[in-house]
Amino acid sequence: MHMKSNFTSFSFTTLLLLFICSSVNATDYNISSGNTIDITTPGSHTITGTGSSEIYINSSVNDAVFEITLDNMVLTAKKWASSITINNNSTGSMTVKFIIVGTNFTQGYNHGGIQAGSGTVNVIFTTTSSGTLTSTAVWSDSFAFRNNGGTMLPSIDPYATCTATLEEKDISIEDALTGAFSKKPLVLSISKSNTSTNNIKSLDLKVIKTSSGINIEGLRIGEKFKIFDVMGKCVIQNEAKNETESVILSKGIYILQTEKGIIKF
């Protein structure tokens, strides 16, 4: 049986951004043409069809939000080509919400099935009903996900139920999203839920700034957490020994990622 997990990387900031987009115009793309697809306008877009188009989601706008519906898309990259690449060229955050509908497949060649090309990108997987997404790659040292110059922070929408397999083995969502950077194929099976599977945990997670850094409140003992700088570099990687952890940091903008959520501070 599939193993379910409540792990998400979701925050109040991300939730707010999902409702505030720079553009609400919807654009449809069909990859059967084989042409490169370059999505630069935040807002809603739909990708469907079967083909080998390279897809680039690019933004130079701070705090941009893209809602990308993958509707029965089968994307197989050409030799030496990428499949889906996300580039955050801004100095702020970028969120890409993949809405999975039907059966979807993305395969890079010598790149990840989905990869971050620049900046830090919050990637959220969800659905309006139900769907599956398989992400993989051909080349031996390329995997389901890849940080190819950027940093991707994947998560599952707390208002969705998800099960996962990695290397054709049932696995928790937390381990699947982490392991996808070094293994393949990743298969996410997502269905819509009317209630949040992680609402209470997200509300409990807090970052309190101190004179020497921060205090992280609401952690579970043994819970892993990471802190990234604005360039996407992981500056802290640790495991909570207490429900509140003190971290020494120089002044700046950072992103905290835990099993309970993501917080930008």
Side-chain angles (χ1 to χ4, degrees):
M1 293 179 64
H2 292 300
M3 296 176 63
K4 295 183 179 179
S5 171
N6 287 339
F7 174 76
T8 60
S9 298
F10 206 79
S11 69
F12 300 115
T13 301
T14 302
L15 182 61
L16 180 61
L17 287 173
L18 294 179
F19 295 98
I20 305 175
C21 299
S22 300
S23 170
V24 295
N25 296 327
T27 307
D28 295 338
Y29 298 92
N30 193 311
I31 63 173
S32 60
S33 66
N35 297 327
T36 297
I37 294 174
D38 192 2
I39 302 174
T40 59
T41 304
S44 300
H45 308 271
T46 298
I47 305 174
T48 189
T50 299
S52 56
S53 300
E54 290 184 277
I55 298 172
Y56 293 92
I57 305 169
N58 302 311
S59 181
S60 57
V61 179
N62 287 349
D63 303 327
V65 178
F66 293 76
E67 292 191 345
I68 309 295
T69 298
L70 303 182
D71 186 354
N72 291 291
M73 180 203 73
V74 179
L75 174 58
T76 304
K78 298 176 183 177
K79 192 173 184 179
W80 312 121
S82 60
S83 49
I84 300 176
T85 301
I86 307 170
N87 295 311
N88 180 7
N89 299 314
S90 76
T91 57
S93 67
M94 178 180 181
T95 299
V96 177
K97 184 178 182 181
F98 285 112
I99 302 169
I100 309 303
V101 178
T103 303
N104 298 271
F105 179 88
T106 175
Q107 176 180 276
Y109 190 81
N110 58 326
H111 300 269
I114 301 174
Q115 65 179 7
S118 62
T120 300
V121 184
N122 301 312
V123 175
I124 303 168
F125 297 99
T126 189
T127 184
T128 54
S129 53
S130 63
T132 61
L133 173 67
T134 299
S135 185
T136 189
V138 174
W139 203 246
S140 59
D141 61 352
S142 294
F143 306 101
F145 296 157
R146 183 179 182 182
N147 288 327
N148 191 25
T151 300
M152 180 166 62
L153 305 176
S155 65
I156 305 298
D157 180 356
Y159 286 92
T161 300
C162 184
T163 58
T165 65
L166 188 62
E167 292 186 326
E168 300 181 350
K169 298 177 182 178
D170 294 339
I171 190 170
S172 71
I173 298 302
E174 176 188 356
D175 291 340
L177 296 180
T178 302
F181 290 94
S182 60
K183 298 176 181 179
K184 59 188 176 186
L186 169 70
V187 180
L188 299 176
S189 300
I190 307 176
S191 58
K192 193 64 177 176
S193 174
N194 292 324
T195 57
S196 172
T197 60
N198 202 52
N199 188 45
I200 295 175
K201 286 189 176 182
S202 295
L203 291 172
D204 286 346
L205 184 64
K206 296 179 181 178
V207 173
I208 309 298
K209 291 188 177 181
T210 66
S211 58
S212 60
I214 61 168
N215 287 337
I216 307 171
E217 298 181 356
L219 291 167
R220 173 177 52 79
I221 295 176
E223 181 176 2
K224 297 177 182 178
F225 65 90
K226 297 179 182 180
I227 297 176
F228 299 85
D229 63 17
V230 292
M231 301 303 293
K233 179 182 178 182
C234 182
V235 295
I236 299 290
Q237 182 172 344
N238 214 334
E239 185 174 298
K241 295 180 175 62
N242 303 284
E243 293 181 355
T244 298
E245 287 286 332
S246 297
V247 178
I248 297 174
L249 288 171
S250 57
K251 291 184 178 180
I253 299 173
Y254 298 91
I255 295 173
L256 168 68
Q257 181 185 30
T258 78
E259 298 173 15
K260 293 185 175 73
I262 286 178
I263 292 181
K264 182 180 178 181
F265 61 93

